[in-house]
Every structure is written in structure tokens, then in C-alpha cells.
Amino acid sequence: MKERAVVEGVAWVGAVDWDRRLFDELIPLPDGTSYNAYLVRGAEKTVLMDSVDPGFTDVLLARLENGGVQRIDYVVCHHAEQDHSGAIPAVLAKYPEAVVLATEKCKGMIVDLLGIAPGRIRTVADRERIDIGGLTLEFIHFPWVHWPETMLTWLPERRILFTCDLFGSHLATSEMFAGNDPLVLPGAKRYYAEIMMPFRSFIQKNMEKVTVLEPALIAPSHGPIHDHPALILDAYREWLSAPPKNLVVVPYISMHDSTRRLVEHFVEACARLGVRAEQVNLAEPDVGKLAMLLVDAATIVIGTPTVLAGPHPKVAYAASLANLIRPKARFLSVIGSFSWGGKVVEQLAAMVPNLKVEIIPPVLARGVPKAEDQAALDRLAEAIAQKHATL
Ligand code: FEO
């Protein structure tokens, strides 16, 4: 349990959570995660950047103790969520002189969430600078990455930007740096899709605050440090701002095989027309995989049987998730089977008010798919191909 040097004066003192498989009781973590905390030693002050998930408090404190840390002057709390702030009360107890630095909004949240005494918290203004002796902390207010209270910290003498959740990856690894290997991007994209995509427009508006700094290192609080920042910055520009791609995502569920047969016919029809289509069975969904596909998809086609006059509940769950993460899809349709009627399309459309999509007429088959249903699916695929030609 020792610290690891990042650059001169900056050490990693976080924790790797190899075994965690679910975050917020919602998001699958197939590759675990990490809670990165960093220690910055100025000539006059010692600063802890974030803490760790409460379950790893002992790991953080052991790294500090083994690093000979006698005094912490400041604990920078970039984000109030407990996977980063949860061990701050223990740090404050062990280091009684330490003061938490946070935005005004974050101060209120950590008082509420962690019971930290307001007198131990000092609020910092946007662009406020603190000299810690040969090193400077500059605080950059950057709300909605991932809650409204968030900020970043810039260490200009080392050209390090501490970003907490922003640019993170849920990845447990013993490698401290991401390197220049594009293989790190799928994990970062999954994380972006699940955590950052709902706030796409806020991040877009504020990306310039990051790029203008030309950081040498981007140090997030999940996953490896970006030592080739262009890789992650270029990826974010694409995920945030590029037009959606020629891709249809088909989340579906089938109870008695009719909807599955419709979906498979439709996916093949798309493929024949040069439209990539990915079907995602919601029986055992990996919502992270679905979210990743939604980063790029121009069209969502939901496949559902009719259950008690509405969509299957697992489809409704996926629709509500899609509504929460606000993908940039432009078109939406529904395919499925029914026996005696229902309001599937109306109910699904009402579940996704955040999606700014044009509804393409659905294909609903009575019972098992017949030739006329397959012809309707072919027409739906053609309509989508025409829409995608205008992207
Ligand atoms: Fe990693 Fe929003 O906490």
C-alpha cells in the first residue's frame, strides 16, 4: 500500500476495485473500476485531490501513512459523489488541520451527504488560484461532469489537469497510464455513454476550457491517466459533436419468438441496404453495451411484444434508460407483435420525451410475422436508409 509517482511532486494514492461489478446499482462494470486520489506536494502545502470509495478508506489512509504524510493542508473535492468524497471524513479526522476546497454547491452537498462540518470547508471561485509553494492549483468550475457541483483543477507547473469523473473509464488495471493505444477507448466510450452522455451539451460548451490548456496529463478519478491527451480529447470531440452514424440500434425482447423473427428480418433488410444494424436482446441486457451503441446511432428501432396493452416491461426499462442518457439519435420506430391490440407505440413515445427524434411509422404484426409484415419491414429499412443518406 504505497503511493506511486505520477510526476515530480504528484503521486497516485487511490484504490483499484478489481471486483466491483455494478455501479449505482445500475451500471455494469465488466472490468471493475478505480478510485484515483492524488497527492500533490508543494514546498509549503500538501494537497489531496479527491479521496476514494468508503470501502477503500483503509487503502487510502495506508498509502498516506506509508508515504510519510504527516500533514494535509487541503483536500480538493471535485465532486460530491461518494465514490470520490466518501473517505474525506476519515481523512479530516486523521489530519485535523486539513480544509476541504470545493465549489459553493459542492460544499452544501458534502455537508448533506457526508456530515462534514461547514467550518472545515472553504469554497473556491472559478479560476481562483492557490499557491502551495512552487506549485499552483487553479480551480475551473465545470458543472455537470457528472453532477451540478463539479470542478476541475489545473496544475500549470506540471501541466496536469485533474478531472475527476470527466474523461474517466471504469477500468481496473495496474497500469497507471493509458498510453497512446486506441484499445483504451472502448472502456472510455462505455464510461462516456453511461455517465457523461446525458450532459453532452454542457460538456460541448465547456470543452474549450480543457483544450486551451494543452495539458500534458489528464488525471481522472476512474481508470488510467491520459498521458497522450489527444487520444481521449479527439474521441470526446467525436462522441460529443460528430453527426450520428449510419447505424440502427434495435433493443428488443421476444416472448414467443414473433418479435425476434421480425427483428432478425429487419436487421437483414438493413444490412442489404448498407445500413449497419445491431440487435440487442434485452432478456439479459448489458445496458453499457446498449449505451455505447447509442453514442453513434442515428436510429433506434425498439422491438417489443404487446404485454397488457403496452410494451414489455424490460423494453420500457430500456426506453427509460435511453431517455435518461439523451443520445443524439434522430429517428425512432417500433416493431413488434400483438394479439388483440394495444397502445405500444403511443406508450413508448411518451417514455422518451428527451429524445429529439422523428417517429418513423412502426411495423406491428398480428401474431407471427407473415409475408405482408416482412414486406413492411423491408419498407421500414428502405425509409431508414433514405433518412440516413441525408446525415
Ligand atoms: Fe465517479 Fe459521479 O462519481
Side-chain angles (χ1 to χ4, degrees), residues 19 29-30 42 59 71 78 99 105 122 124 154 160 166 168 184 201 221 227 259 283 303 306 309 312 329 343 388:
D19 298 327
L29 303 180
V59 173
R71 176 186 172 95
H78 293 108
V99 170
K105 196 175 282 280
R122 170 178 157 188
V124 289
W154 174 233
I160 303 180
L166 184 62
V184 302
S201 61
S221 291
D227 51 339
T259 300
T306 299
H312 190 285
K343 299 259 182 215
H388 285 199

Short mmCIF file of all heavy atoms in Angstrom, two decimals, residues 19 29-30 42 59 71 78 99 105 122 124 154 160 166 168 184 201 221 227 259 283 303 306 309 312 329 343 388:
data_model
loop_
_atom_site.label_atom_id
_atom_site.label_comp_id
_atom_site.label_asym_id
_atom_site.label_seq_id
_atom_site.Cartn_x
_atom_site.Cartn_y
_atom_site.Cartn_z
N ASP A 19 -13.02 -6.07 -8.31
CA ASP A 19 -14.16 -6.99 -8.26
C ASP A 19 -15.52 -6.32 -8.36
O ASP A 19 -16.54 -7.00 -8.39
CB ASP A 19 -14.11 -7.80 -6.95
CG ASP A 19 -12.86 -8.66 -6.88
OD1 ASP A 19 -12.41 -9.12 -7.95
OD2 ASP A 19 -12.32 -8.84 -5.78
N LEU A 29 -20.17 -3.09 -14.51
CA LEU A 29 -18.73 -2.79 -14.59
C LEU A 29 -18.00 -4.07 -14.97
O LEU A 29 -17.43 -4.74 -14.10
CB LEU A 29 -18.20 -2.28 -13.25
CG LEU A 29 -18.85 -1.04 -12.62
CD1 LEU A 29 -18.17 -0.70 -11.30
CD2 LEU A 29 -18.76 0.14 -13.57
N PRO A 30 -17.99 -4.45 -16.23
CA PRO A 30 -17.37 -5.72 -16.59
C PRO A 30 -15.88 -5.76 -16.29
O PRO A 30 -15.31 -6.84 -16.10
CB PRO A 30 -17.63 -5.83 -18.10
CG PRO A 30 -17.91 -4.43 -18.55
CD PRO A 30 -18.54 -3.74 -17.38
N GLY A 42 3.44 20.56 -2.54
CA GLY A 42 4.14 21.81 -2.79
C GLY A 42 5.19 22.01 -1.72
O GLY A 42 5.26 21.24 -0.74
N VAL A 59 -7.28 1.70 2.50
CA VAL A 59 -6.23 1.68 1.47
C VAL A 59 -5.65 3.08 1.31
O VAL A 59 -4.43 3.28 1.28
CB VAL A 59 -6.79 1.17 0.13
CG1 VAL A 59 -5.76 1.31 -0.99
CG2 VAL A 59 -7.25 -0.28 0.27
N ARG A 71 1.00 15.73 7.36
CA ARG A 71 0.06 16.85 7.39
C ARG A 71 -0.55 16.98 5.99
O ARG A 71 0.16 16.89 4.99
CB ARG A 71 0.83 18.12 7.75
CG ARG A 71 0.00 19.39 7.71
CD ARG A 71 0.86 20.63 7.93
NE ARG A 71 0.05 21.82 7.69
CZ ARG A 71 -0.59 22.49 8.65
NH1 ARG A 71 -0.46 22.13 9.91
NH2 ARG A 71 -1.33 23.54 8.35
N HIS A 78 -13.54 17.58 -5.93
CA HIS A 78 -14.03 18.00 -7.25
C HIS A 78 -15.50 17.68 -7.43
O HIS A 78 -16.17 18.30 -8.26
CB HIS A 78 -13.24 17.27 -8.35
CG HIS A 78 -11.80 17.66 -8.43
ND1 HIS A 78 -10.77 16.84 -8.04
CD2 HIS A 78 -11.22 18.81 -8.86
CE1 HIS A 78 -9.61 17.46 -8.24
NE2 HIS A 78 -9.85 18.65 -8.73
N VAL A 99 -8.31 21.27 5.33
CA VAL A 99 -9.50 22.03 4.94
C VAL A 99 -9.92 21.53 3.55
O VAL A 99 -9.07 21.34 2.68
CB VAL A 99 -9.19 23.54 4.88
CG1 VAL A 99 -10.33 24.32 4.25
CG2 VAL A 99 -8.87 24.06 6.27
N LYS A 105 -21.64 24.97 -4.36
CA LYS A 105 -22.68 23.95 -4.45
C LYS A 105 -22.19 22.63 -3.84
O LYS A 105 -22.93 21.92 -3.17
CB LYS A 105 -23.09 23.75 -5.92
CG LYS A 105 -24.41 23.01 -6.09
CD LYS A 105 -24.83 22.94 -7.54
CE LYS A 105 -25.43 24.20 -8.06
NZ LYS A 105 -26.84 24.41 -7.71
N ARG A 122 -13.72 25.24 2.66
CA ARG A 122 -13.52 26.57 2.08
C ARG A 122 -13.96 26.53 0.63
O ARG A 122 -13.54 25.65 -0.13
CB ARG A 122 -12.03 26.93 2.18
CG ARG A 122 -11.66 28.20 1.41
CD ARG A 122 -10.17 28.51 1.60
NE ARG A 122 -9.68 29.32 0.50
CZ ARG A 122 -8.40 29.62 0.31
NH1 ARG A 122 -7.49 29.16 1.16
NH2 ARG A 122 -8.02 30.35 -0.72
N VAL A 124 -14.14 27.71 -3.25
CA VAL A 124 -13.20 28.34 -4.19
C VAL A 124 -13.98 28.83 -5.40
O VAL A 124 -14.90 28.17 -5.88
CB VAL A 124 -12.08 27.36 -4.62
CG1 VAL A 124 -11.14 27.09 -3.47
CG2 VAL A 124 -12.65 26.04 -5.16
N TRP A 154 -6.35 22.56 -12.29
CA TRP A 154 -5.21 22.66 -13.22
C TRP A 154 -3.96 22.94 -12.40
O TRP A 154 -3.96 23.82 -11.53
CB TRP A 154 -5.49 23.79 -14.20
CG TRP A 154 -4.42 24.18 -15.17
CD1 TRP A 154 -3.94 25.44 -15.35
CD2 TRP A 154 -3.74 23.35 -16.13
NE1 TRP A 154 -3.00 25.45 -16.36
CE2 TRP A 154 -2.86 24.17 -16.85
CE3 TRP A 154 -3.79 21.99 -16.44
CZ2 TRP A 154 -2.03 23.69 -17.86
CZ3 TRP A 154 -2.97 21.50 -17.45
CH2 TRP A 154 -2.11 22.34 -18.15
N ILE A 160 -0.80 19.33 -15.56
CA ILE A 160 -1.73 18.23 -15.24
C ILE A 160 -3.12 18.82 -14.99
O ILE A 160 -3.25 19.79 -14.23
CB ILE A 160 -1.32 17.45 -13.98
CG1 ILE A 160 0.08 16.89 -14.12
CG2 ILE A 160 -2.30 16.32 -13.71
CD1 ILE A 160 0.53 16.10 -12.90
N LEU A 166 -14.79 13.30 -15.34
CA LEU A 166 -14.63 13.61 -16.77
C LEU A 166 -13.40 12.90 -17.34
O LEU A 166 -12.33 12.93 -16.73
CB LEU A 166 -14.50 15.13 -16.94
CG LEU A 166 -14.42 15.66 -18.37
CD1 LEU A 166 -15.67 15.33 -19.17
CD2 LEU A 166 -14.16 17.17 -18.37
N GLY A 168 -12.96 9.79 -17.55
CA GLY A 168 -12.65 8.56 -16.83
C GLY A 168 -13.01 7.30 -17.60
O GLY A 168 -13.59 7.36 -18.70
N VAL A 184 -7.64 1.61 -25.37
CA VAL A 184 -8.21 2.17 -24.13
C VAL A 184 -9.55 2.84 -24.42
O VAL A 184 -10.32 3.12 -23.49
CB VAL A 184 -7.27 3.20 -23.46
CG1 VAL A 184 -5.93 2.58 -23.14
CG2 VAL A 184 -7.11 4.47 -24.28
N SER A 201 -24.44 18.40 -23.99
CA SER A 201 -24.44 19.80 -24.42
C SER A 201 -23.63 20.67 -23.46
O SER A 201 -22.92 21.59 -23.90
CB SER A 201 -25.87 20.33 -24.57
OG SER A 201 -26.51 20.25 -23.34
N SER A 221 -10.46 10.46 -12.12
CA SER A 221 -10.57 9.70 -10.87
C SER A 221 -11.11 8.29 -11.07
O SER A 221 -11.41 7.59 -10.10
CB SER A 221 -11.42 10.47 -9.86
OG SER A 221 -10.71 11.61 -9.44
N ASP A 227 -1.84 10.03 -20.68
CA ASP A 227 -0.54 10.66 -20.93
C ASP A 227 -0.36 11.01 -22.40
O ASP A 227 0.67 11.57 -22.78
CB ASP A 227 0.61 9.77 -20.43
CG ASP A 227 0.52 8.35 -20.95
OD1 ASP A 227 -0.58 7.91 -21.36
OD2 ASP A 227 1.55 7.66 -20.95
N THR A 259 -41.52 -11.52 -32.19
CA THR A 259 -40.77 -10.26 -32.27
C THR A 259 -39.34 -10.52 -32.70
O THR A 259 -38.77 -9.76 -33.50
CB THR A 259 -40.83 -9.51 -30.92
OG1 THR A 259 -42.20 -9.24 -30.62
CG2 THR A 259 -40.07 -8.20 -30.98
N ALA A 283 -33.35 -9.49 -22.84
CA ALA A 283 -33.65 -10.51 -21.84
C ALA A 283 -32.61 -10.48 -20.74
O ALA A 283 -32.93 -10.60 -19.55
CB ALA A 283 -33.71 -11.89 -22.49
N GLY A 303 -37.93 -3.17 -30.47
CA GLY A 303 -38.71 -4.37 -30.76
C GLY A 303 -39.39 -4.86 -29.49
O GLY A 303 -38.73 -5.14 -28.49
N THR A 306 -46.54 -7.00 -27.32
CA THR A 306 -47.51 -6.24 -26.53
C THR A 306 -47.86 -7.04 -25.28
O THR A 306 -48.23 -8.22 -25.38
CB THR A 306 -48.78 -5.96 -27.34
OG1 THR A 306 -48.40 -5.19 -28.49
CG2 THR A 306 -49.80 -5.18 -26.54
N ALA A 309 -51.49 -4.54 -23.14
CA ALA A 309 -51.77 -3.32 -23.93
C ALA A 309 -50.59 -2.38 -24.07
O ALA A 309 -50.70 -1.33 -24.69
CB ALA A 309 -52.97 -2.56 -23.38
N HIS A 312 -43.39 -4.50 -23.46
CA HIS A 312 -42.85 -5.39 -22.43
C HIS A 312 -42.12 -4.54 -21.38
O HIS A 312 -41.40 -3.60 -21.74
CB HIS A 312 -41.90 -6.39 -23.08
CG HIS A 312 -41.48 -7.50 -22.16
ND1 HIS A 312 -40.57 -7.32 -21.14
CD2 HIS A 312 -41.86 -8.80 -22.09
CE1 HIS A 312 -40.40 -8.46 -20.50
NE2 HIS A 312 -41.17 -9.38 -21.05
N ALA A 329 -29.55 10.31 -31.41
CA ALA A 329 -30.36 9.68 -32.47
C ALA A 329 -31.40 10.66 -33.00
O ALA A 329 -31.92 11.49 -32.26
CB ALA A 329 -31.05 8.44 -31.90
N LYS A 343 -51.51 -0.14 -27.13
CA LYS A 343 -51.03 1.23 -27.36
C LYS A 343 -49.50 1.27 -27.23
O LYS A 343 -48.95 2.17 -26.60
CB LYS A 343 -51.64 2.16 -26.31
CG LYS A 343 -53.15 2.24 -26.33
CD LYS A 343 -53.60 3.49 -27.03
CE LYS A 343 -55.11 3.61 -27.01
NZ LYS A 343 -55.61 4.22 -28.23
N HIS A 388 -30.94 8.05 -43.55
CA HIS A 388 -29.51 8.04 -43.23
C HIS A 388 -28.68 8.64 -44.35
O HIS A 388 -27.56 9.14 -44.09
CB HIS A 388 -29.03 6.61 -42.92
CG HIS A 388 -29.46 6.11 -41.58
ND1 HIS A 388 -28.86 5.05 -40.93
CD2 HIS A 388 -30.44 6.53 -40.73
CE1 HIS A 388 -29.45 4.85 -39.76
NE2 HIS A 388 -30.43 5.73 -39.63
#
